[in-house]
Amino acid sequence: MSISIDTVNLVVESAQKQGFKKVTAVWLEIGALSCIEPETIEFCYEMAARETIAEHSTLHIESVAGQAYCFTCGKDVVLKQRGNACPTCDGFQLKVIKGDELRVKEIEVE
Ligand SMILES: [Zn+2]
């Protein structure tokens, strides 16, 4: 919940700072390893946007694949889910380097 409130605040703040009156759409990137359900974000976003200039804006959610560094293979590998083994060597000596974030990619304003 706090994540999406922060996200909405950020969007609203930066839009207001730039002199816009209304946020009409927001694109969010959610990492596949973030453990955040898109449905949860949608719901929280709607609640957080209420009575702000982002109210009634459309939320677009894009999923970003996870990436980890495998110490066994010595290279970056794709991870579909947190807790998965390395797809190359089946090892678990992994360090997540991408895919556990929630990021505002783009906003549309009026
Ligand atoms: Zn590996």
Side-chain angles (χ1 to χ4, degrees):
M1 186 73 197
S2 66
I3 293 175
S4 65
I5 288 178
D6 289 350
T7 304
V8 173
N9 286 343
L10 215 82
V11 167
V12 169
E13 253 174 50
S14 67
Q16 276 176 336
K17 229 176 259 174
Q18 291 170 64
F20 295 109
K21 300 263 179 292
K22 202 167 156 41
V23 175
T24 52
V26 174
W27 281 260
L28 281 185
E29 271 185 357
I30 301 180
L33 310 178
S34 65
C35 303
I36 304 170
E37 295 291 329
E39 293 80 18
T40 310
I41 284 292
E42 265 170 38
F43 178 76
C44 293
Y45 182 84
E46 214 183 293
M47 301 285 290
R50 203 162 284 173
E51 288 169 22
T52 73
I53 62 165
E55 192 168 18
H56 304 305
S57 57
T58 313
L59 183 66
H60 302 271
I61 295 173
E62 286 172 26
S63 185
V64 184
Q67 210 175 2
Y69 177 79
C70 176
F71 291 96
T72 313
C73 300
K75 61 179 183 184
D76 295 347
V77 294
V78 174
L79 269 197
K80 289 210 173 82
Q81 241 183 303
R82 190 173 279 279
N84 275 17
C86 168
T88 311
C89 71
D90 283 332
F92 284 97
Q93 300 233 305
L94 301 164
K95 182 177 182 288
V96 173
I97 51 176
K98 199 181 139 202
D100 60 352
E101 70 280 304
L102 174 81
R103 199 171 75 88
V104 179
K105 192 184 172 196
E106 205 183 323
I107 69 170
E108 193 180 87
V109 289
E110 272 175 10

